[in-house]
Amino acid sequence: MAQKKVLLIEDEVKLARFVELELRYEGYEVTVCHNGRDGMTLINEGNFDMILLDLMLPGLTGIEICRRVRKTSNVPIIMLTAKDEVIDKVAGLDSGADDYLTKPFAIEELLARMRVAFKHCEDKLTKKVLLQVQDLEIDTEKRLVTVGGTTVELTKKEYELLLYLVQNKNIVLTREQILNEVWGYSYIGETNVVDVYVRYLRAKIDETFQKKFIHTIRGVGYYVKEE
Ligand code: CA
């Protein structure tokens, strides 16, 4: 298999150097930069398989970079955040990051998260199908959601949540299952993220089209119902 290309954007030079060496040792091809704007330039010029992105960066913040990348690409992005940075995790994930890692982290933890993110990415590529529930359709190749032929604009996480619910239609999924599957790791004690995103989806689908796709089982979780 070809070497995977990883872009690391991190302004803490020592940490960046450490991560770079460890990733090289693991067989990744690593490009490093210490500034948000340079990072964006590299992204536009290069073809990376993954981006490791510090949140607070000179030039452009990690969230801004993430938003820009997501307009054109589904490359896996793992955000690196400092412990004392108070951030809105929901907003952060909504910018399109696949995962979060709080500094300081063990390198093994980063490597494990990277493997998960790569696997998710590959799974998505191999599952090219058209899914349907009532008159809602998901074209997973185009990442296109339509209801009765009308396109529904969804953010990355909204799309992934809907896809997971539809792939498991008529099965009640717990918040924990949804967190693990859609957010790719255990987000312990923060299952309210799921509720927030279900609300977003309901606003865009159930309310807009006056249907009831997403059902709640109080205290348990959610499911999409095939009438
Ligand atoms: Ca930083």
Side-chain angles (χ1 to χ4, degrees), residues 10-12 54-58 85 103:
E10 166 62 76
D11 64 327
E12 287 170 53
D54 183 25
L55 187 74
M56 294 307 291
L57 285 165
E85 282 165 3
K103 295 184 250 185

Side-chain angles (χ1 to χ4, degrees), residues 5-203:
K5 292 183 189 169
V6 177
L7 174 63
L8 170 63
I9 311 178
E10 166 62 76
D11 64 327
E12 287 170 53
V13 176
K14 265 179 148 172
L15 173 66
R17 183 69 184 149
F18 169 71
V19 172
E20 179 189 6
L21 292 175
E22 291 288 336
L23 295 185
R24 288 237 164 97
Y25 181 76
E26 292 294 321
Y28 294 106
E29 190 183 318
V30 189
T31 305
V32 181
C33 80
H34 307 300
N35 172 296
R37 278 189 204 286
D38 297 345
M40 205 60 231
T41 306
L42 284 166
I43 291 166
N44 289 331
E45 288 168 354
N47 194 12
F48 296 99
D49 298 304
M50 177 171 291
I51 302 170
L52 303 177
L53 188 55
D54 183 25
L55 187 74
M56 294 307 291
L57 285 165
L60 274 177
T61 67
I63 289 199
E64 187 51 34
I65 292 174
C66 208
R67 286 210 181 99
R68 293 191 190 184
V69 170
R70 280 291 172 258
K71 284 183 183 161
T72 56
S73 163
N74 290 314
V75 62
I77 298 176
I78 298 178
M79 288 258 200
L80 309 175
T81 68
K83 224 178 189 165
D84 55 356
E85 282 165 3
V86 182
I87 51 145
D88 183 340
K89 277 192 176 172
V90 173
L93 287 168
D94 201 37
S95 73
D98 295 87
D99 204 349
Y100 261 103
L101 202 53
T102 307
K103 295 184 250 185
F105 50 80
I107 195 72
E108 292 75 19
E109 179 69 14
L110 175 63
L111 293 168
R113 300 282 185 93
M114 287 173 69
R115 282 192 294 271
V116 169
F118 277 128
K119 180 158 188 314
H120 267 246
C121 188
E122 280 154 22
D123 286 354
K124 273 182 235 154
L125 288 176
T126 52
K127 284 183 203 156
K128 287 177 185 171
V129 272
L130 197 65
L131 297 167
Q132 197 167 11
V133 176
Q134 301 176 55
D135 58 350
L136 182 145
E137 261 186 18
I138 304 178
D139 180 333
T140 60
E141 199 168 3
K142 294 180 185 153
R143 294 178 71 86
L144 184 70
V145 177
T146 55
V147 177
T150 305
T151 302
V152 186
E153 298 287 344
L154 298 179
T155 65
K156 182 170 185 283
K157 282 296 160 197
E158 289 166 358
Y159 172 83
E160 287 173 0
L161 171 60
L162 180 67
L163 182 63
Y164 182 54
L165 289 169
V166 170
Q167 279 170 336
N168 296 282
K169 63 186 177 187
N170 298 324
I171 299 169
V172 177
L173 301 165
T174 66
R175 289 175 175 79
E176 288 75 15
Q177 278 176 310
I178 294 170
L179 265 184
N180 271 320
E181 184 62 31
V182 177
W183 277 264
Y185 61 98
S186 180
Y187 209 61
I188 298 161
E190 305 241 21
T191 51
N192 62 324
V193 171
V194 175
D195 302 321
V196 168
Y197 274 81
V198 166
R199 275 207 298 280
Y200 292 163
L201 278 183
R202 279 188 171 139

